[in-house]
Amino acid sequence: SNAKHIGAPLQGMLSKVLVKEGDKVKKNQPLFVIEAMKMETVITAHADSTIAATELKPGTLVNTNDLVIIIA
């Protein structure tokens, strides 16, 4: 399978999840936002793809590399 795991690039709070399972996303489309020390980091899609699953809910505290989204 071609599934790719998209993890948190840094420790912080998962403040927004902008996609849901089944969504088709374009390259560079925002997927989720992590807030750390009052700064927001937006994580975007690396390529056109489909969201296979969102693993975490907004408000979750994440560590670096925690799995947030699986894309197909």
Side-chain angles (χ1 to χ4, degrees):
S1 112
N2 258 354
K4 290 189 176 55
H5 292 180
I6 301 181
L10 73 170
Q11 191 171 358
M13 190 187 73
L14 182 60
S15 61
K16 296 182 190 122
V17 177
L18 305 167
V19 294
K20 62 187 187 307
E21 189 176 330
D23 282 0
K24 293 205 177 333
V25 295
K26 297 274 183 211
K27 183 176 180 169
N28 297 325
Q29 182 173 332
L31 301 176
F32 58 93
V33 180
I34 292 182
E35 195 176 297
M37 306 205 220
K38 310 279 186 228
M39 300 271 297
E40 289 197 335
T41 301
V42 179
I43 290 70
T44 58
H46 301 303
D48 292 2
S49 49
T50 302
I51 305 300
T54 58
E55 297 288 305
L56 298 176
K57 301 253 179 286
T60 307
L61 290 173
V62 294
N63 288 309
T64 306
N65 296 327
D66 278 4
L67 177 59
V68 180
I69 288 179
I70 300 172
I71 59 173

